[in-house]
Amino acid sequence: MEIDRSLIGTSSDAWIVEVERGAIRRFAEAIGDDNPLWRDAEFARSQGYPDVIAPPSFPVSFVMPDIPPWWEGLDRKRFLAGEHGFSYTRPITVGDMLSCRMTLLDVTRKEGRSGSMDLMLQEVRGLDAEGRDVFAHRRTTVYRGLDSKVRGS
């Protein structure tokens, strides 16, 4: 099955992410970043933040409860992670209740030495409890074509 391009512009159902201190700490540990902004509430407050803030790449840890509609029927073994990018109107902070939604922005077909692939440009946006934008996480997911050859084979 191939990606249904008619779904470009559609969005997933919204899901809520409650930002917890422990989740930020564990994420910072996992990426090996000991910045006190991610760990020390007193330090974060001394820098003008209301509490500990999350590292910029933290939204990669937000897990959708369901798969997005454009992934339905696709072979997950053909997925590869691609590029990630983040933009913010403000930092993510402990205690935030973020309403997140993923949108399929575009699908581009590429041909390469190892075969064809589709690049799905997707964006997760997070809004705070007042409905204001907090972040946008753009990511590209590579969907390898049936004709793709795995390196080393």
Side-chain angles (χ1 to χ4, degrees):
M1 179 169 238
E2 297 305 312
I3 300 166
D4 183 351
R5 285 171 169 71
S6 73
L7 295 175
I8 293 171
T10 62
S11 297
S12 69
D13 292 334
W15 76 97
I16 302 296
V17 174
E18 182 176 355
V19 180
E20 299 172 344
R21 185 178 316 279
I24 292 174
R25 179 185 45 75
R26 287 187 300 277
F27 186 83
E29 288 171 356
I31 64 172
D33 191 335
D34 61 359
N35 187 326
L37 286 172
W38 327 142
R39 302 165 182 265
D40 183 337
E42 291 296 319
F43 179 79
R45 287 185 191 104
S46 77
Q47 301 302 303
Y49 299 104
D51 205 324
V52 167
I53 63 173
S57 57
F58 187 62
V60 301
S61 69
F62 297 174
V63 178
M64 293 178 57
D66 299 308
I67 65 168
W70 52 91
W71 286 18
E72 301 245 353
L74 297 180
D75 181 356
R76 301 283 297 270
K77 294 179 208 157
R78 292 169 53 192
F79 285 3
L80 295 172
E83 183 177 33
H84 291 263
F86 305 88
S87 61
Y88 288 88
T89 58
R90 69 163 176 82
I92 295 174
T93 307
V94 167
D96 277 340
M97 295 289 285
L98 301 172
S99 175
C100 299
R101 185 181 303 270
M102 182 186 286
T103 302
L104 178 62
L105 300 178
D106 199 10
V107 178
T108 306
R109 168 73 42 110
K110 298 283 184 180
E111 299 292 334
R113 289 186 309 223
S114 63
S116 65
M117 66 187 89
D118 289 322
L119 307 177
M120 289 185 280
L121 177 59
Q122 302 160 104
E123 181 178 68
V124 176
R125 296 189 76 77
L127 308 177
D128 65 16
E130 289 75 39
R132 294 180 301 237
D133 277 320
V134 175
F135 75 91
H137 168 205
R138 283 195 174 201
R139 69 184 203 188
T140 301
T141 300
V142 178
Y143 190 60
R144 293 180 296 139
L146 287 172
D147 62 341
S148 292
K149 296 171 187 62
V150 178
R151 285 187 191 173
S153 57

